[in-house]
Amino acid sequence: MADPEKRPEGPQEEDRLHLLGSLLAKTELEITAATRLTEEEEIEDVLETLLGWRQQLGADPGLAINVLTNRLQRTALQVSEPEAEELPPGREAAFAAVMTAVYALGAQLHAERDDTEGTRHALSGAEEALIDVLQGLHDLRVAIGDAPGPEDEANR
């Protein structure tokens, strides 16, 4: 995108989000490389990065929710494998779990703004996503033989 041969005038406005995504990926990779992978100390690393995040963000709770929602939406898209026609049940459940969080945060934000209709809409999305979480987890149990599938129940 920012190749000087293709863009001698430099990055254009339409390149901005792509470039920001690249910068975000670079930052996340740096954090990942710096985070210890032991259960005992990993939380300390996460808390340290969170402190830096909060210092940069400031005290605006609405902005914090917006940042968290954007992060969760990116996570949901990454989990969902947009190219895939159908997701395996565990990934489907993970996608729905992330979307449940997105909708729950949105519902709270709408409620704080006294937006009853927006709160209802977000709650409906959260409830539907939560049902999808449970269905995906059940489907995964069926896949590993821990729960009866539809054909097993039809034979009863």
Side-chain angles (χ1 to χ4, degrees):
M1 282 231 139
D3 182 351
E5 290 182 19
K6 291 182 181 177
R7 299 265 195 197
E9 67 282 359
Q12 302 298 300
E13 182 58 31
E14 62 266 15
D15 300 326
R16 185 171 154 262
L17 289 175
H18 183 88
L19 293 170
L20 287 171
S22 296
L23 179 60
L24 179 60
K26 193 84 161 125
T27 302
E28 288 179 341
L29 289 171
E30 288 291 325
I31 290 171
T32 300
T35 303
R36 293 170 277 200
L37 296 177
T38 63
E39 288 183 30
E40 300 141 8
E41 298 170 331
E42 184 177 8
I43 194 68
E44 293 170 10
D45 292 343
V46 170
L47 289 173
E48 194 62 37
T49 59
L50 184 57
L51 287 173
W53 184 82
R54 282 188 182 157
Q55 288 171 346
Q56 286 299 309
L57 194 61
D60 183 346
L63 181 59
I65 294 297
N66 193 18
V67 170
L68 290 172
T69 300
N70 281 316
R71 183 189 312 144
L72 288 167
Q73 289 170 333
R74 286 191 311 273
T75 300
L77 284 174
Q78 289 172 316
V79 167
S80 73
E81 297 181 22
E83 320 77 49
E85 280 187 37
E86 189 175 324
L87 290 177
R91 286 184 83 94
E92 185 69 41
F95 170 79
V98 174
M99 290 308 296
T100 300
V102 168
Y103 285 119
L105 285 170
Q108 183 60 49
L109 193 58
H110 285 289
E112 289 170 4
R113 295 176 177 166
D114 294 324
D115 175 5
T116 304
E117 196 54 40
T119 304
R120 283 188 183 117
H121 178 73
L123 286 171
S124 293
E127 290 166 343
E128 288 177 29
L130 193 53
I131 290 167
D132 290 343
V133 170
L134 295 173
Q135 184 63 55
L137 294 176
H138 175 75
D139 291 348
L140 191 53
R141 286 208 174 274
V142 169
I144 64 169
D146 281 359
E151 60 279 344
D152 296 329
E153 292 189 11
N155 294 333
R156 288 184 177 189

